[in-house]
Each structure stands twice: as C-alpha cells, then as structure tokens.
Amino acid sequence: MFTLHPTLIADTLDIGELSLCKVLLSNDQRFPWIILVPKRSNIRELFELNAEDQQRLWAETTWVAEQLNQHFGADKMNVATLGNMVPQLHMHVVVRHQNDAAWPSPIWGSGPAIPYESADIATLKNTLSKLLISNKHPI
Amino acid sequence: MFTLHPTLIADTLDIGELSLCKVLLSNDQRFPWIILVPKRSNIRELFELNAEDQQRLWAETTWVAEQLNQHFGADKMNVATLGNMVPQLHMHVVVRHQNDAAWPSPIWGSGPAIPYESADIATLKNTLSKLLISNKHPI
C-alpha cells in the first residue's frame, strides 16, 4: 500500500500522476521544482525498483525535465535523487536560471523555501497539470 | 569527437569505460564518488541524448549505484546530474554515510575536496576498476 511520506506532503502541491509516479510541485516559488515519487512502497534506492519500474522512472524523469526546460526556458535542468532526509525514493527535477536564488550552487541548502501565494496556486496547478499530466507523454 | 571537459579531467581519476560512459573517480577522499560521462559530444541535458543512449545512461548509473552501495556499505546513494558549472553532461553517483563530512546535506558546497594520498591511488583504481569495469555489467 503506497502512501506519500509526510514531509513530501507538507512541502509540496499535488499536481497529479503519471504511469509510475506521483507528480508534486515543491512549494518554493524560488525554483520551478517538480518531485516525482514512484507509487511503490518501501523503496529507498533506484536499484530497489524492478527493471520495468526503473525504465519508467527514467522515462518519466527525462520527459518531465524536457517539458519543464521548454516551458520555463531553463538555463539548466538539475535532476537528482538524494533521500538523505526523506527515506522514500523521490526524484527532483528542477529548472535552474542563471539569475535564480542559488545559481550556480545546488538548490538544497540555499536557504528557506518561499511558498507560493495562495492566490496563484490554482492557476499554477492548472498550468502544470496541462503541461505534465494531460499532455501526451511517452510511457 | 568526444573529449572530456578540462574541469572533469582536473578533478578526477580515470577508472575506465563502460559501454556509454567514461567512469571517473572524484579526487576527494571524503566520499566514494563516481562521475559517469557519456562519450558523446555537445550534450548538456539528459533529453539531448538519443533514446538508446538515455537507456544506457540510466542502466549504467543504476548499476554503478548498486555496486558502490554494496561495496562501500552505503547508508544512502545520491545520484544527480547538475551541470551548472561544467557544461558537459555528467552523472554523479555518490556513496553517503551518516558519519561523512556533509551528512545529511548534499556533498556539493560542503567544503574543499581532500585529494587521495598518492600512495593509495594505484590500489584504489585497481579496486574500482575490478568492481565497475571488469565486473560483468548488464549493458
């Protein structure tokens, strides 16, 4: 039975689901920052997924990175799975701009998140849902 | 014509090659830290690789992570492609321990590298070459 880790629930907005992953938006307006979480229980490491799920995770990750890159005009996409603090496998897909709050450093440890304004959230979720969920993806 | 970025040459020890990637060891004894670099020119982003190379990169990344995890008894593997400073696609595969120099933070920005002792390098390269290159990998 898959359930999201409480920290991931607390720190993100729910955008929807792909074939394998929950699609979450990190609630930090400093960076367009998607977190993909495979809907599988008790998985901490990439190689703990079965071969088919590994392929799906990579395909969904790469596809989300490409969509975000195009939509937000990224200077660079950052893709990472760390999990030192939240022990549920999750993949960060982050749009980086050369004028963002952390460039060229990684976003982690770059100071506290700045949550989105409540008034902006519905539009934002709608835009990202169209881009990442309704949009035809290859899996 | 593929050539390694000068920063990657300067900061690493050459371990060998897999089917797609050069296998480099970051010259920082604080973390067992492999860097995989696809032997393709002018690639900055994951989605710029063709579909076959994407699959190979993920397979090599996951396989290297699994081997390092087992060999070094990792508490967590960290896998990331950032590239904000070095514009040649490269994948970090890093063994993390709960008593390492940066835990639980990411390794980037955690202070200056501590190079390996010259006397240890031949043995280290030999061990990693056996683990990651000679060892039968699935690609």
Side-chain angles (χ1 to χ4, degrees):
Chain A
M1 181 69 179
F2 171 77
T3 51
L4 264 180
H5 190 282
T7 303
L8 291 173
I9 295 176
D11 294 348
T12 67
L13 306 169
D14 187 357
I15 303 300
E17 299 193 1
L18 293 171
S19 165
L20 176 66
C21 291
K22 294 277 296 173
V23 179
L24 308 172
L25 175 68
S26 179
N27 193 4
D28 186 348
Q29 60 176 267
R30 299 175 304 159
F31 315 100
W33 171 0
I34 291 289
I35 297 176
L36 299 175
V37 187
K39 292 172 277 181
R40 300 288 183 263
S41 349
N42 300 317
I43 301 284
R44 288 178 69 231
E45 298 282 1
L46 293 169
F47 46 83
E48 293 171 1
L49 292 172
N50 69 34
E52 187 186 343
D53 283 349
Q54 285 180 26
Q55 280 205 346
R56 274 197 203 154
L57 175 59
W58 294 127
E60 292 182 3
T61 297
T62 309
W63 186 82
V64 165
E66 190 165 12
Q67 303 309 304
L68 293 175
N69 178 69
Q70 191 173 340
H71 182 81
F72 289 98
D75 291 318
K76 188 70 188 67
M77 293 303 302
N78 289 177
V79 171
T81 179
L82 306 175
N84 304 337
M85 305 219 253
V86 173
Q88 176 174 60
L89 182 63
H90 59 286
M91 184 71 76
H92 302 278
V93 186
V94 190
V95 174
R96 302 302 308 272
H97 290 111
Q98 292 186 7
N99 62 354
D100 72 29
W103 185 271
S105 297
I107 56 168
W108 307 276
S110 67
I114 302 176
Y116 288 101
E117 302 294 333
S118 307
D120 298 336
I121 288 178
T123 305
L124 183 64
K125 285 174 79 161
N126 187 43
T127 300
L128 287 170
S129 173
K130 277 189 185 148
L131 183 71
L132 301 177
I133 310 293
S134 323
N135 206 345
K136 192 75 189 158
H137 64 90
I139 313 305
Chain B
M1 183 66 180
F2 170 79
T3 52
L4 265 180
H5 190 282
T7 303
L8 292 173
I9 296 176
D11 294 349
T12 68
L13 305 169
D14 187 358
I15 303 300
E17 300 193 0
L18 293 171
S19 165
L20 176 66
C21 292
K22 292 278 293 175
V23 179
L24 309 172
L25 174 68
S26 179
N27 192 4
D28 185 348
Q29 60 175 266
R30 298 176 305 159
F31 315 100
W33 171 0
I34 291 289
I35 298 176
L36 299 176
V37 187
K39 292 171 278 181
R40 300 289 182 263
S41 353
N42 301 316
I43 301 283
R44 289 178 69 232
E45 298 282 1
L46 293 169
F47 46 82
E48 293 170 1
L49 291 171
N50 68 33
E52 186 186 344
D53 283 350
Q54 285 179 26
Q55 280 205 345
R56 274 195 203 156
L57 175 57
W58 295 127
E60 292 181 3
T61 296
T62 308
W63 186 81
V64 165
E66 190 165 12
Q67 302 309 305
L68 293 176
N69 178 69
Q70 191 173 340
H71 183 81
F72 290 98
D75 291 316
K76 186 71 188 68
M77 294 302 302
N78 288 177
V79 171
T81 177
L82 306 174
N84 305 336
M85 306 220 253
V86 173
Q88 176 174 61
L89 183 63
H90 58 287
M91 185 70 77
H92 302 278
V93 186
V94 190
V95 174
R96 301 302 306 274
H97 290 110
Q98 293 185 7
N99 63 353
D100 72 28
W103 184 270
S105 298
I107 56 168
W108 307 277
S110 67
I114 301 176
Y116 288 101
E117 302 293 332
S118 307
D120 298 335
I121 288 178
T123 304
L124 183 63
K125 286 175 79 160
N126 187 44
T127 300
L128 287 169
S129 172
K130 276 188 186 148
L131 183 70
L132 301 176
I133 310 293
S134 323
N135 207 345
K136 193 76 188 158
H137 64 90
I139 315 300

